[in-house]
Structures are given as C-alpha cells and as structure tokens.
Amino acid sequence: MSRILLAEDDNDMRRFLVKALQNAGYEVTSYDNGLSAYHRLREEPFQLLLTDIVMPEMDGIELARRASELDPDIKIMFITGFAAVALNPDSAAPKHAKVLSKPFHLRELVTEVQKMLTAA
C-alpha cells in the first residue's frame, strides 16, 4: 500500500482529502502545517507528499524542497489556489512536482495521485 503524507492547513479540506485517498486504498498521514509534516518525513518514508503551498510555520514549497533532500525519490504534488507561485521558475519548488489547482474534484485528485504513484 502506498503511503501518502498530506500537509493542508484547511481542516475541512484535509478531512475530505484524507477520506477520498483512504477510500482509494492509500494509507494517509496528515498534518495541518508544513513543519509538523517535515518532522514526520524525517522519521519514516512516504511515497508521495501532497501539500498545500500557503501554510503556517513552513510553506509547501519549503516542505517539498526539504522532502526532496531527505528522499530524492519522493513524489510531490502541490494542491493550491496559487498555482502561479509553484510554477514560477524562480521558486525553490522541486522541478518534478505536479501542481493541482484548487478547486478540483476529488476524483481528479485520486486519478492524479494514481498516475504519480504508478509512474516509474
């Protein structure tokens, strides 16, 4: 079973995402800020980091950058209403990261996660 680490500061959004991904068969660990998610990444491996960009304590771009340093093979997907920030070539966002712009349908999220996790 693929393990996903979710960092999303909006409580309702986080609950919806966790439920949708668990229903699709994934093991999901979630946090409401980037710093707590980063500490968990240091403790154990995950196949996918699913993160919002704008969060307290540590933003998603910094979290993704640090996650890639810990595990160069981790897959990264940003879920954000600020896609232009993630896509900005001057940002420190990992170049292999996928961006899913809010609002999105939960089915779309699950499909994109499946694609990322099955890609070699």
Side-chain angles (χ1 to χ4, degrees):
M1 178 186 299
S2 293
R3 300 183 69 235
I4 299 172
L5 182 63
L6 170 64
E8 166 63 67
D9 63 327
D10 181 290
N11 291 331
D12 291 333
M13 174 68 83
R14 190 173 61 255
R15 279 193 294 271
F16 283 126
L17 296 176
V18 167
K19 187 170 179 110
L21 292 166
Q22 286 175 337
N23 287 343
Y26 298 105
E27 182 182 327
V28 183
T29 302
S30 66
Y31 290 93
D32 64 357
N33 67 76
L35 189 59
S36 295
Y38 174 67
H39 290 308
R40 186 64 180 265
L41 275 171
R42 293 181 58 172
E43 295 172 4
E44 60 186 302
F46 289 84
Q47 284 73 45
L48 174 68
L49 170 62
L50 184 60
T51 182
D52 191 6
I53 290 180
V54 179
M55 292 185 296
E57 298 187 48
M58 179 187 295
D59 69 34
I61 291 175
E62 179 66 14
L63 174 60
R65 189 186 64 73
R66 291 185 183 193
S68 291
E69 289 173 358
L70 289 172
D71 178 2
D73 295 326
I74 193 169
K75 308 234 192 275
I76 297 168
M77 183 185 299
F78 293 111
I79 46 173
T80 184
F82 300 95
V85 174
L87 298 172
N88 181 341
D90 297 332
S91 83
K95 302 303 178 213
H96 63 282
K98 166 91 176 140
V99 178
L100 191 60
S101 296
K102 293 177 186 174
F104 52 81
H105 193 281
L106 292 176
R107 190 177 310 120
E108 181 184 6
L109 170 73
V110 170
T111 299
E112 291 302 322
V113 165
Q114 288 170 338
K115 284 181 192 174
M116 287 191 80
L117 290 173
T118 57

